Amino acid sequence: QLVWVQPMKELRPGDEGIFTLDGKGYIKCYVLEKPDESVREAFTDIDGVVRPQPVLRSYNKKYAPIVVTPDQRFEIIGKVLH
């Protein structure tokens, strides 16, 4: 299967993208959610503002969402073009 990708380092929530997470590659929908209490501090800036946590969702309901935690190596490679 072929996928056309526009290289970029930032995506908007809802965009389909290519990602690496701890050395594994994924094509998923990029979503931002309120961080879980267990990692909330890692997503809180110096002014006390809580930033959203990245979540990778599949359109196939067989696959659970992948919640990105601060201790993981996460990179946005690009946006999937339709």
Side-chain angles (χ1 to χ4, degrees):
Q1 187 172 10
L2 292 175
V3 176
W4 295 100
V5 178
Q6 179 180 356
M8 56 179 50
K9 294 295 180 187
E10 293 184 23
L11 295 176
R12 291 183 299 196
D15 284 346
E16 270 184 77
I18 303 281
F19 310 92
T20 60
L21 182 64
D22 290 337
K24 295 180 183 176
Y26 297 93
I27 297 176
K28 300 277 184 186
C29 182
Y30 180 73
V31 181
L32 294 174
E33 296 181 354
K34 181 179 177 182
D36 185 79
E37 198 62 41
S38 64
V39 293
R40 185 179 177 140
E41 185 176 321
F43 289 96
T44 304
D45 68 19
I46 196 164
D47 296 320
V49 176
V50 180
R51 294 175 283 113
Q53 182 175 19
V55 177
L56 306 180
R57 293 197 180 275
S58 178
Y59 292 118
N60 186 337
K61 299 301 179 194
K62 285 189 341 185
Y63 299 100
I66 300 170
V67 179
V68 180
T69 59
D71 61 328
Q72 294 177 299
R73 290 175 294 134
F74 175 67
E75 183 179 9
I76 297 171
I77 304 300
K79 180 179 179 178
V80 174
L81 303 175
H82 294 274

